[in-house]
Amino acid sequence: MRINTNVASLNAQEAANLTNSRMQSALEKLSSGLRINKASDDASGLAIADKLRTQATSINQGIDNGNSAIALLQIADKSMAEQSNILDSVKAKLIQANTATTSTAGRNAIAADIAKLMTQFENIAKSTNYNGTDLISTNATDLDFQVGESSSNNKITLSAVKSQLANYTGISSLNSLSAITAASAGTLEGLVDTAINDLNKKRGSIGSVQNQVDSAVRNLMTQATNVKAAESIIRDVDYAKESANFNKQNIIAQAGAYAISQANAAQQNVLRLLQ
């Protein structure tokens, strides 16, 4: 028997240090809620989880872009809905003017009302904007919305919608109308009908794009959920599993401490041989 080097104690201490290291790792995971806290925990898993996190961030931004696009489209649509109401009122007034029971003075008053309504029609087109971007004026341009990760595959485009008087054939000067006759009222009715149809087509294009954006946002929300779930499987700790592992290491640590004490005690037996 040798007493100069207590090999049994050294082995027990080495095992105890390894157990303590495992306990610390388990505590770190339990306290952070993460299975991967540093690259050494799972290098390949960390790379995959980080890529998934980046993907989730991009998808969430795409969702935000889509919601902003929907808000923009709704602003344009609501403004054009009011323009549609104005054209409906103008047509009703023209019908009123195109009947024998309306006097010349009455027709002149109707002309003034129409001029004011069409001035408001024009004002709506000029003032409708989103964050400074004209939406339905003659300055409106094509609008591209990126609703997704890819700048090339996830673009939704709204072709320029222009809804000023100049964009409707035959009614561009109604905002300066000063007089009207029964005959001219009948002619203008047809022109206003054409403008109403044209405006409804423009609104329809906005509605189609909004439906497309809505669909894209719903799809992205599903993707975001699935990507985050995939990241969670890789990155997040399984509390039940890790708690069991910690308890196991704790028991082993207690047993190791007992083993060290017994290894040291065993050396005392050698001294008895010398007595």
Side-chain angles (χ1 to χ4, degrees), residues 25 31 87 96 98 104 114 211 230 266-267:
S25 177
S31 61
L87 291 181
Q96 181 184 5
N98 191 21
T104 300
I114 290 175
N211 287 336
Q267 296 296 89

Side-chain angles (χ1 to χ4, degrees), residues 21-31 33-37 236-249:
S21 176
R22 290 171 177 167
M23 285 181 62
Q24 290 175 7
S25 177
L27 279 173
E28 181 181 30
K29 293 175 181 178
L30 290 171
S31 61
L34 300 174
R35 185 181 70 85
I36 304 175
N37 291 282
D236 293 349
V237 69
D238 182 334
Y239 270 91
K241 180 180 178 181
E242 202 57 49
S243 295
N245 179 51
F246 174 76
N247 289 332
K248 172 185 173 182
Q249 299 302 326

